[in-house]
Amino acid sequence: MERQVRVRFAPSPTGPLHIGGVRTALYNYLFARQSGGKMILRIEDTDQTRFVPGAEDYIIEALTWLGIEFDEGVHVGGPFGPYRQSDRKTLYKQYSDQLLADGWAYYAFDTPQALDAKRKEYEAQKKTFQYDCRTRGEMENSLTLSADEVKQRIERGDHYVVRFKFPEHIDITVHDLIRGEVTMNSDLLDDKVLFKSDGMPTYHLANIVDDHLMEISHVIRGEEWLPSAPLHVMLYRAFGWEETMPKFAHLPLLLKPEGNGKLSKRDGDRLGFPVFPLDWHDPQSGELSSGYREKGYLPGAVVNMLALLGWNPGTEQEIFSMEELIKAFDISHISKSGAKFNVEKSKWFNHEYMQMLSDKQIAEYLKPQLTEHGISVVEHPAQVADHGSQVTTQYVEKVCAMMKNRINFPSELWETTFYFFEAPKEYNPADLKKRWKAGMTTHMNKILEILDTVPFEHDALHKAILDDYIVANQFNMGQIMNSFRIALIGKTVGPDLLTFVMVIGKEETVNRLKKAVETIGEIEV
Ligand code: GLU
């Protein structure tokens, strides 16, 4: 019988969740949803020395923001709880004891000093010390000490650890859904610590026990865990759980935009893009690491971008909603090699997702920026006192509709649209020098005259200004229209000028143009 799919995302709360971790959560989620399975959030906090307050809440907030939902977990409960390993603490000792009793593990009493001395001794011979089948016979453990001695040491409360006892000279094969068969010889593997005398299991023991008890069917996690997989396979064997051992899929690393290294926290700071989903204020150092959300990325864009970092749909399609990802996702299309992070591409995704928002939604982003610049937004035109300090919601939405294709992020809205809301405070000197040539005041006065006499409509103004005045008189089109633009906007940027004129209206156009003639007129050359 096919097992029910049950997958888990099992972060350790040691700091903010890196986007590589977010991608792991996402792939688990897509896989769970497409197979009608369950998605579980388990917090692996057995290493108390690395515990960071706030990290668990951060993880939950980030995944919730991205729309990655859980069926069971530390924040939603469920039938296999508790889902935080520190709350399961009392459960692990019996499993450690079972391995000891069955000869799969042994007590080791070596002090940190003794281990250090051993390391130095090996270094002196240009060798590296590893606690394994070759060296365990020279150390202080239950394999070398008498049973009585071991008993005494434990009874008097000596510190100890329980180590896994790898059988010698065997090949251990991990069947990986992405990489195929990965085989390692047990002689190369170190006898990892599973349990400590303070009563805490290590990651390896707790992870395997919990995956078993929580009936996890697939372990989808980062490539950095591949070296631990042979130990995990052996633990399933040692416990007699091989029959229900989960299937493994180790995801490729996320790489730096340049070079081949792993994408690190520092890269984000250095290259100016976030590597965390949300802003993170480090509780110890107070340092701020920036997040996608605060940078103005939309959750859909982040999900879409991450989904394609390491997985491809086998088609040209690039834009995927979460629903589409759930349908299209396929573990066999995950690449083996690392996926290079691409900053420009992530901006492109956000641009595309911004375009999918309604004008009303975009206007909501722009409104607070307007308030910041002293412009209030009112609902009805009747409330508008004087243009410039008050605009209607309808006007803001119209501006957004016209300009949204120029922005990647909501934060760019003001700098992209400000001239729809305020007259130029200054005129760009370089643009003026290039465009505002002798006689320009005369041309601008002529445009003022046309505005006064011709119906205020796009086509009528186009004919009167461009055809009947500029072209018919063989004037310099670029210079006149660009000077007109400088007069209205302050520099030579912006959308089609007459379309812009139609949006700001006749009165505002005339005012801006008159002011420009007065201010700049004198400096004409
Ligand atoms: N707690 C581990 C981590 O932080 C989980 C690894 C796994 O999924 O087995 O990545």
Side-chain angles (χ1 to χ4, degrees):
M1 201 183 76
E2 269 295 296
R3 275 178 96 180
Q4 191 201 19
V5 166
R6 290 179 54 81
V7 293
R8 83 304 194 270
F9 179 54
S12 299
T14 53
L17 183 61
H18 186 274
I19 51 165
V22 175
R23 189 196 56 176
T24 300
L26 175 65
Y27 285 11
N28 274 284
Y29 175 73
L30 297 176
F31 183 68
R33 283 291 171 270
Q34 75 171 197
S35 43
K38 297 276 187 245
M39 169 77 171
I40 294 140
L41 178 63
R42 185 173 74 222
I43 297 293
E44 301 207 325
D45 59 347
T46 54
D47 188 352
Q48 293 292 320
T49 57
R50 296 182 64 217
F51 177 81
V52 173
E56 182 182 311
D57 289 343
Y58 176 97
I59 292 166
I60 294 169
E61 190 181 340
L63 298 176
T64 306
W65 175 62
L66 291 164
I68 297 172
E69 299 155 350
F70 291 88
D71 303 298
E72 295 169 30
V74 73
H75 56 318
V76 290
F80 293 82
Y83 294 92
R84 189 183 292 108
Q85 287 183 329
S86 57
D87 294 338
R88 301 168 67 80
K89 187 178 162 189
T90 51
L91 191 120
Y92 303 108
K93 186 170 186 302
Q94 57 182 296
Y95 293 99
S96 167
D97 288 347
Q98 184 184 330
L99 294 177
L100 286 163
D102 295 346
W104 283 103
Y106 57 92
Y107 293 105
F109 301 96
D110 318 274
T111 59
Q113 294 78 3
L115 287 169
D116 213 39
K118 217 22 156 195
R119 263 179 229 118
K120 294 224 170 78
E121 188 189 314
Y122 271 66
E123 265 163 38
Q125 300 167 41
K126 303 235 174 314
K127 289 196 286 190
T128 316
F129 173 73
Q130 179 170 279
Y131 211 121
D132 58 18
C133 60
R134 279 167 237 251
T135 59
R136 59 191 170 218
E138 358 170 324
M139 309 300 291
E140 265 185 60
N141 53 46
S142 54
L143 304 172
T144 55
L145 301 169
S146 72
D148 275 353
E149 172 81 25
V150 171
K151 195 161 171 269
Q152 264 177 33
R153 287 191 181 207
I154 291 172
E155 275 168 9
R156 72 171 183 241
D158 279 11
H159 283 287
Y160 67 81
V161 295
V162 175
R163 287 181 181 272
F164 187 70
K165 187 178 171 210
F166 267 110
E168 287 168 51
H169 323 310
I170 59 159
D171 277 340
I172 305 163
T173 299
V174 180
H175 297 272
D176 188 275
L177 295 172
I178 298 166
R179 284 148 218 279
E181 287 191 355
V182 182
T183 301
M184 260 184 246
N185 194 275
S186 62
D187 294 353
L188 301 171
L189 300 167
D190 65 322
D191 289 350
K192 281 269 184 306
V193 173
L194 301 177
F195 194 82
K196 290 179 267 175
S197 49
D198 65 2
M200 269 304 204
T202 60
Y203 154 75
H204 300 289
L205 180 69
N207 184 272
I208 272 32
V209 167
D210 286 348
D211 279 352
H212 173 72
L213 296 178
M214 294 182 183
E215 296 178 11
I216 297 304
S217 63
H218 295 76
V219 166
I220 303 170
R221 62 183 174 190
E223 184 183 296
E224 63 273 26
W225 297 104
L226 188 59
S228 302
L231 168 65
H232 297 176
V233 167
M234 285 307 291
L235 281 168
Y236 282 101
R237 195 174 299 171
F239 283 122
W241 299 336
E242 254 181 314
E243 284 278 289
T244 54
M245 180 168 75
K247 292 195 164 76
F248 291 100
H250 288 92
L251 306 175
L253 293 174
L254 285 192
L255 304 176
K256 294 177 196 297
E258 9 71 1
N260 278 322
K262 195 175 157 184
L263 183 65
S264 76
K265 175 183 166 186
R266 298 279 159 228
D267 295 318
D269 298 342
R270 193 168 52 84
L271 299 166
F273 63 90
V275 292
F276 300 111
L278 317 176
D279 272 3
W280 167 259
H281 298 266
D282 189 273
Q284 263 116 44
S285 65
E287 193 191 341
L288 171 78
S289 306
S290 66
Y292 278 86
R293 182 177 67 183
E294 289 76 5
K295 277 265 188 270
Y297 278 87
L298 299 173
V302 177
V303 163
N304 198 151
M305 178 268 286
L306 284 178
L308 293 176
L309 276 179
W311 167 79
N312 76 79
T315 65
E316 293 296 301
Q317 187 178 346
E318 288 194 285
I319 299 293
F320 286 88
S321 66
M322 189 70 101
E323 288 312 307
E324 290 172 316
L325 285 173
I326 290 170
K327 281 208 191 86
F329 186 70
D330 182 349
I331 289 191
S332 68
H333 279 176
I334 294 176
S335 69
K336 289 191 193 59
S337 50
K340 241 186 219 315
F341 185 83
N342 184 333
V343 188
E344 288 315 310
K345 193 77 191 185
S346 69
K347 288 185 190 159
W348 177 84
F349 273 114
N350 212 55
H351 175 84
E352 294 300 307
Y353 275 78
M354 288 296 304
Q355 308 314 304
M356 292 181 217
L357 296 181
S358 68
D359 301 335
K360 203 173 153 66
Q361 285 171 307
I362 298 186
E364 287 308 315
Y365 284 114
L366 178 51
K367 282 179 187 174
Q369 298 176 25
L370 293 173
T371 314
E372 237 172 74
H373 289 89
I375 295 153
S376 50
V377 184
V378 294
E379 284 312 310
H380 303 292
Q383 292 172 261
V384 180
D386 63 310
H387 193 97
S389 63
Q390 277 197 342
V391 288
T392 62
T393 296
Q394 204 189 9
Y395 181 80
V396 180
E397 285 173 17
K398 196 167 174 181
V399 171
C400 290
M402 224 177 127
M403 303 302 285
K404 67 180 177 188
N405 65 350
R406 297 178 182 229
I407 59 154
N408 293 333
F409 299 101
S411 59
E412 296 164 356
L413 277 165
W414 169 255
E415 70 201 44
T416 314
T417 64
F418 68 92
Y419 43 83
F420 284 88
F421 303 98
E422 58 181 28
K425 294 195 174 89
E426 56 191 13
Y427 303 97
N428 182 282
D431 288 342
L432 274 182
K433 191 159 189 286
K434 192 163 165 216
R435 301 299 187 177
W436 197 281
K437 300 290 182 189
M440 199 48 77
T441 314
T442 313
H443 293 309
M444 293 301 122
N445 278 326
K446 179 68 189 175
I447 294 178
L448 276 170
E449 195 187 305
I450 295 171
L451 284 165
D452 199 31
T453 50
V454 172
F456 192 73
E457 286 159 14
H458 184 282
D459 292 355
L461 287 179
H462 192 280
K463 182 172 182 304
I465 300 172
L466 283 86
D467 303 342
D468 299 350
Y469 180 63
I470 304 176
V471 176
N473 291 301
Q474 294 182 336
F475 292 137
N476 185 328
M477 175 77 77
Q479 253 159 32
I480 296 176
M481 289 310 283
N482 274 301
S483 294
F484 187 17
R485 184 179 287 277
I486 296 168
L488 300 186
I489 291 176
K491 48 186 170 179
T492 50
V493 299
D496 171 71
L497 195 60
L498 289 180
T499 312
F500 173 71
V501 161
M502 288 297 121
V503 176
I504 63 168
K506 182 169 169 177
E507 198 188 327
E508 181 70 10
T509 305
V510 168
N511 287 347
R512 289 191 191 187
L513 191 48
K514 274 189 182 155
K515 184 165 173 243
V517 169
E518 273 166 31
T519 323
I520 316 165
E522 304 310 317
I523 65 152
E524 72 184 57
V525 284

